[in-house]
Amino acid sequence: MTLSDNPVQPGASTAAVVDPDYPVTPVPAHARKSFVSLAVVLLGFTVFTPTMLAGAQLGSAFPLGELVRVILLGSLILGTYVALLGWIGANTGLTTVVMARYVLGNRGSKLGSILLGGTQIGWYGVVIGTIGDLTAQAFEWESDLAKATVMIATSVLMCLTACYGYRGMYWVSAISTPLILILAFWVLFRSLDEVGGWSGLADVEPNGSMTVAVAITTVVGTFVSAGTQAPNWTRFARTGSQALLACVIGFLIGNGLMIFFGATGAMTFGQGDFVLVLYDLGLVTWGLVLLFGNLWKSNADTAYAFGVAGAALFARPSKTPFVIGGSVIGTVLALVGVQNHLVDYLVLLGVFIPPLGGVVIGDYFARWRRGGMPEGEPLPALNVPNLAVYALASAVAWIAKETEFGVPPVFGVVLAALGAYVVGRAGLNRRLSPTGD
């Protein structure tokens, strides 16, 4: 793809870009970022305290040796998937939802915008609600008004950071991520002291049960939905190799570490969340520093993601109105307690979102890798062959989840990627008639 300073959105008018983050157009060469900058943003995205809750489930079900193998395998699957998408994002300069225009058609891509934007608004509400609940727990507040005030104030801060764009998320990540990692490693060492070192940790007997397949699914599922949107940030990379390596650092190493921290917390203290471990150790202030610093940067990334999804859905050049609108919706959801009711919904979205990334990967390698996704390419309203591939892959992933067979996200991604590649190489997409929006 040829990057230009005034790129044109497929199927849209040549309106001037008014958002410096280019939510619906390719990121031009002069706006690309350094590898260090990109790695900081992606690592800050995945160093996410709620991920430790998934680790806690694993820590109570496996001894140390098997636990490490499960985390490594699950993280390898997740990192490979996200790295491929991130590489494509750097080569095209486009977000996932805009790439979906080429893959699913102008109208078909709105499915991707709704799925990706909708799940991120839900996660935003869950995180805001979690902040309010844990703050109230730390200070033993019983007032609903005090809890609501914390939720609204933190939501405003996160929304403003997302509106500021890539630069805002970079600085928040650069400041908070090192602090969080230092604190997390410190608690890990305290955990080892508690049980007599690594040998003592290896001797801890699991008190729960979980199959290896379910455990790998849990590891992959922690960030597979968010990872599908990795191109939102890797499109700022100067080269595809830089984007790929940054994704490995963030989604394989960073996410894997957070799962491991949560697992050791559960094995040692019976807690999977380091914030609650710090509370138990009497370090309430440090617990709140970890909580706010970590969730601030992660939820700013979430708000950014549904902002660019909204811009693509409604074909608008600026993400800001959608960041604000989504933040308001997410805050309202938090105020009514969505964090207590949304888990099953988010797990279900985790089944249906990964196949979307698989279709993007397969179609890109089949049709666009050599010539790129050219600006102004006439596109059909619906790319029926690729939509059919997505539907089939999602159905297989859902059946796998319901029957607890294998690793549903992997089934969805692999089947979607292979199906889209076959359809693309067979030339079925070239027979479609462009119909615009």
Side-chain angles (χ1 to χ4, degrees):
M1 156 176 269
T2 301
L3 296 174
S4 63
D5 291 341
N6 295 292
V8 181
Q9 179 188 358
S13 64
T14 58
V17 174
V18 299
D19 192 314
D21 281 281
Y22 307 92
V24 293
T25 53
V27 177
H30 69 79
R32 299 296 178 112
K33 310 295 183 181
S34 69
F35 166 74
V36 172
S37 170
L38 184 62
V40 166
V41 169
L42 288 181
L43 186 60
F45 187 36
T46 56
V47 176
F48 184 48
T49 53
T51 301
M52 291 189 287
L53 297 175
Q57 298 175 20
L58 274 62
S60 63
F62 296 97
L64 181 62
E66 193 170 0
L67 170 71
V68 171
R69 287 193 292 272
V70 166
I71 293 175
L72 286 176
L73 182 55
S75 297
L76 181 61
I77 294 170
L78 175 65
T80 301
Y81 165 69
V82 176
L84 279 173
L85 276 175
W87 180 80
I88 295 172
N91 288 338
T92 62
L94 299 172
T95 66
T96 305
V97 292
V98 175
M99 284 193 286
R101 281 180 166 264
Y102 292 90
V103 176
L104 302 177
N106 284 319
R107 292 179 183 172
S109 67
K110 296 185 186 302
L111 169 66
S113 297
I114 293 171
L115 280 173
L116 297 176
T119 186
Q120 294 305 296
I121 289 176
W123 268 119
Y124 186 91
V126 169
V127 170
I128 292 294
T130 300
I131 288 175
D133 289 344
L134 290 179
T135 303
Q137 179 180 342
F139 292 108
E140 300 181 353
W141 290 341
E142 296 183 0
S143 168
D144 290 336
L145 178 60
K147 187 189 301 185
T149 301
V150 170
M151 292 183 189
I152 293 172
T154 54
S155 180
V156 170
L157 181 63
M158 295 167 182
C159 177
L160 289 175
T161 303
C163 288
Y164 193 60
Y166 184 99
R167 288 178 296 172
M169 291 180 292
Y170 168 77
W171 284 111
V172 173
S173 296
I175 294 170
S176 64
T177 301
L179 173 63
I180 293 161
L181 288 175
I182 290 171
L183 197 57
F185 274 109
W186 180 80
V187 176
L188 172 62
F189 296 145
R190 284 291 302 269
S191 299
L192 293 174
D193 288 341
E194 191 78 13
V195 296
W198 290 107
S199 60
L201 189 64
D203 291 336
V204 174
E205 292 292 332
N207 55 19
S209 63
M210 182 184 296
T211 66
V212 172
V214 171
I216 294 174
T217 301
T218 301
V219 175
V220 175
T222 53
F223 256 90
V224 72
S225 296
T228 304
Q229 302 189 74
N232 292 355
W233 298 277
T234 63
R235 63 201 174 96
F236 287 95
R238 291 170 181 166
T239 66
S241 60
Q242 288 184 356
L244 191 148
L245 183 55
C247 286
V248 169
I249 291 173
F251 287 86
L252 194 158
I253 299 175
N255 191 61
L257 278 176
M258 297 308 287
I259 294 174
F260 183 71
F261 290 149
T264 55
M267 296 169 73
T268 307
F269 295 102
Q271 295 280 13
D273 191 326
F274 271 170
V275 175
L276 298 181
V277 171
L278 291 173
Y279 288 176
D280 290 343
L281 293 173
L283 301 174
V284 174
T285 300
W286 280 110
L288 289 178
V289 169
L290 172 64
L291 174 69
F292 282 105
N294 180 256
L295 297 185
W296 175 14
K297 64 182 177 55
S298 296
N299 234 25
D301 290 336
T302 299
Y304 182 91
F306 62 66
V308 297
L313 178 63
F314 294 98
R316 294 292 183 268
S318 175
K319 68 184 182 302
T320 302
F322 304 100
V323 170
I324 295 172
S327 298
V328 170
I329 295 172
T331 304
V332 171
L333 291 174
L335 292 172
V336 299
V338 70
Q339 66 273 18
N340 301 318
H341 305 286
L342 200 66
V343 174
D344 290 340
Y345 169 68
L346 293 174
V347 169
L348 193 62
L349 286 175
V351 171
F352 290 106
I353 289 177
L356 177 63
V359 172
V360 171
I361 292 171
D363 190 70
Y364 178 81
F365 280 99
R367 296 199 295 153
W368 306 106
R369 184 178 179 183
R370 293 185 178 179
M373 294 177 171
E375 302 170 38
E377 175 77 9
L379 302 172
L382 297 173
N383 188 320
V384 176
N386 278 345
L387 285 167
V389 168
Y390 168 78
L392 177 61
S394 297
V396 170
W398 181 80
I399 292 171
K401 170 186 172 296
E402 292 297 305
T403 59
E404 298 184 355
F405 176 76
V407 186
V410 175
F411 287 165
V413 169
V414 172
L415 184 58
L418 289 176
Y421 183 81
V422 170
V423 165
R425 296 302 296 173
L428 297 179
N429 293 304
R430 290 196 294 269
R431 300 169 192 171
L432 298 173
S433 299
T435 57
D437 289 330

